[in-house]
Amino acid sequence: MPMPLPAVGTGPASAIAPVTAAAPLRYRPIRLRASPSTVSSPSTSVISSPPPPPSARHSRKHLAGRGHAPARPSKDRVFFLDVNPICFRGSQRSLGAFARWLALFFTHVSLRDPVVAVFDGAGGNEYRRRLLPSYKAHRTRGVGTGADSRVVDVLCECNVPIVQVDGYEADDVVATLTKQVLQKGYRVVIASPDKDFKQLISEDVQLVMPIPEIGRWSFYTLRHYVAQYKCDPTVDLSLRCFMGDEADGVPGIQHLAPGFGRKTAVKLLNKHGSLENLLNTAAVRTVGKEYAQDVLVKHADYLRKNYEVLSLRRDVNVQLDDRWLSTRDTCNDTSVLSDFITKFN
C-alpha cells in the first residue's frame, strides 16, 4: 500500500464526459523482435504507434504551471508507465480502474510529454525465484502478468508505445531504459506505486504514484525521499537488504538478528556508502558495536543474496527507440478513453 505523500501532485480531476465524435483512428500494432544475433534467450516485443506529426512540438510555455510537478525547465521529461499496477482495484483486475488512472495521468500528469508503457514479460519472476524461492511466492504464477489486449488497444490508440521483454519484470525494463534516456539528456518520471523504483531516484529521476486514498497521482522526488528516510536514495537498495520487502516475500535480517534495526543500518550505510563497501570493511576491521559487527560478518552472504534479488537490472536486452522521445499526439485521448469507460464501466 503506497504511503501518504506530501500534496505535491495535482488536484482531483473531473470525470471524462462521453463525446459523440467520429470513431478514433485505430493504428495497427507493429510487433518487432530483436535480431537473433543480439539476443541470447529473452525476446523483446514492442507494440508501437506511429510517431506524432513533426508539428506537434514540445512547448515549455504550454506546460508551465500544469500539474504542479517539480520541474527543471532545462531538461525535457520522458514518462515510463508501469501498466500492471493500475489495472487493479484492490486485488481484483479492473478495466475501470485502468481507464480512470490513465485518464488522470494523461490529463494532469504527462500532458503531451513522451510516454512509454511497460508490461511484465512472460516468466519475468523466474530469475529472482531461482535466487530466492520465497520471492512473490504468495502470488499465483501468471496472475497480474501479460498485456490485456483491450489495454494494449487503448494505449496504442493514444499513441503510447508498449514494451514487454520475455524473461524480465517491467521494473527491470524501466531501469534499463531509464539509464538510456538519462544518457540522452532527458529527465525521467516513473509512473508506478512500486517502491522498488525508489532505488532509481535522483535529481533527474522522480516517481509519480497513484494514491487511491486521495484519487490522484502524486509526485515523489529526491526531496521527499530524504525527508522520509533521512538518507540518500543511493543507499535505498542497501537499506532494503537489511529491512527486507514483505510484499515481495523477501525477508529482512530481523528474524536472524532481532536487535539489528533500521537506525543501525542507516547509520552504517551513511558512513560506508553501500552494502558491499560495508560488508567488505566489516570483513577486515570493526565497523560498529560488537553485535552489529557479528551480524555483518555472519550474515554477509544472506545480505548479498537479498541485494541481488532486490536490485533492478540495467542489462535487459532492449534498446530505446528515438521515436519514443517525440511529443505525444493527444488528439485521440478524449474519444478513446470516453468510449472505453462507457463500454467497460
Side-chain angles (χ1 to χ4, degrees):
M1 177 66 68
M3 64 292 179
L5 300 176
V8 181
T10 61
S14 58
I16 297 179
V19 296
T20 56
L25 179 63
R26 293 181 63 88
Y27 295 113
R28 181 180 180 182
I30 303 173
R31 185 171 296 276
L32 305 176
R33 286 193 179 273
S35 169
S37 62
T38 62
V39 181
S40 54
S41 56
S43 61
T44 304
S45 299
V46 180
I47 306 171
S48 180
S49 300
S55 59
R57 304 304 303 166
H58 185 86
S59 171
R60 282 289 161 190
K61 181 178 180 181
H62 173 73
L63 297 181
R66 297 289 298 275
H68 307 294
R72 297 172 64 194
S74 60
K75 295 183 180 181
D76 291 342
R77 302 183 301 180
V78 176
F79 285 83
F80 288 107
L81 177 62
D82 183 14
V83 180
N84 190 61
I86 65 171
C87 294
F88 284 81
R89 180 176 286 114
S91 61
Q92 301 296 317
R93 277 192 175 274
S94 169
L95 291 174
F98 162 74
R100 179 174 177 275
W101 285 119
L102 187 66
L104 290 171
F105 178 72
F106 284 160
T107 305
H108 294 284
V109 180
S110 67
L111 307 175
R112 299 179 66 210
D113 284 333
V115 178
V116 178
V118 184
F119 287 86
D120 291 324
N125 292 343
E126 296 309 310
Y127 164 76
R128 291 180 172 89
R129 277 183 171 155
R130 286 194 296 269
L131 293 171
L132 184 67
S134 65
Y135 179 74
K136 295 185 178 180
H138 58 292
R139 304 184 190 182
T140 304
R141 292 175 185 258
V143 173
T145 61
D148 187 309
S149 61
R150 295 164 294 185
V151 171
V152 169
D153 287 345
V154 167
L155 291 169
C156 286
E157 289 171 358
C158 291
N159 299 301
V160 176
I162 295 170
V163 183
Q164 183 177 33
V165 184
D166 292 341
Y168 293 95
E169 296 184 74
D171 302 12
D172 298 317
V173 178
V174 170
T176 299
L177 291 174
T178 291
K179 179 180 177 180
Q180 297 175 25
V181 169
L182 293 176
Q183 290 172 344
K184 290 183 175 290
Y186 291 80
R187 289 184 297 132
V188 170
V189 184
I190 301 169
S192 174
D194 193 338
K195 60 183 175 297
D196 292 342
F197 288 120
K198 288 183 179 180
Q199 61 190 265
L200 301 179
I201 289 177
S202 68
E203 288 286 351
D204 288 322
V205 180
Q206 59 185 226
L207 310 183
V208 62
M209 299 178 172
I211 311 297
E213 293 83 356
I214 59 177
R216 68 180 187 184
W217 293 85
S218 187
F219 282 84
Y220 187 90
T221 67
L222 176 62
R223 175 170 58 88
H224 294 129
Y225 183 93
V226 173
Q228 182 180 6
Y229 294 106
K230 313 303 180 186
C231 62
D232 191 90
T234 55
V235 305
D236 177 80
L237 176 58
S238 298
L239 178 60
R240 290 178 61 216
C241 294
F242 286 102
M243 307 313 298
D245 187 333
E246 183 178 354
D248 285 346
V250 181
I253 200 73
Q254 290 72 35
H255 72 291
L256 299 174
F260 198 108
R262 176 183 291 274
K263 184 177 180 180
T264 300
V266 169
K267 180 180 179 180
L268 291 171
L269 290 171
N270 280 337
K271 180 178 180 180
H272 294 275
S274 71
L275 177 66
E276 191 60 28
N277 285 344
L278 175 58
L279 295 178
N280 289 339
T281 303
V284 297
R285 66 178 176 85
T286 302
V287 297
K289 295 181 179 180
E290 182 178 355
Y291 181 77
Q293 178 72 19
D294 290 344
V295 170
L296 295 173
V297 173
K298 183 177 180 181
H299 300 297
D301 290 343
Y302 178 90
L303 292 168
R304 286 190 173 100
K305 178 182 286 188
N306 272 4
Y307 189 95
E308 192 171 0
V309 171
L310 292 170
S311 60
L312 299 184
R313 302 184 64 175
R314 275 80 160 178
D315 60 350
V316 177
N317 193 6
V318 59
Q319 290 299 316
L320 182 73
D321 189 327
D322 286 342
R323 292 174 296 177
W324 301 347
L325 304 178
S326 301
T327 302
R328 190 176 66 86
D329 183 355
T330 63
C331 66
N332 294 336
D333 289 6
T334 300
S335 60
V336 169
L337 289 172
S338 294
D339 290 347
F340 188 85
I341 289 173
T342 300
K343 183 175 182 180
F344 294 107
N345 249 15

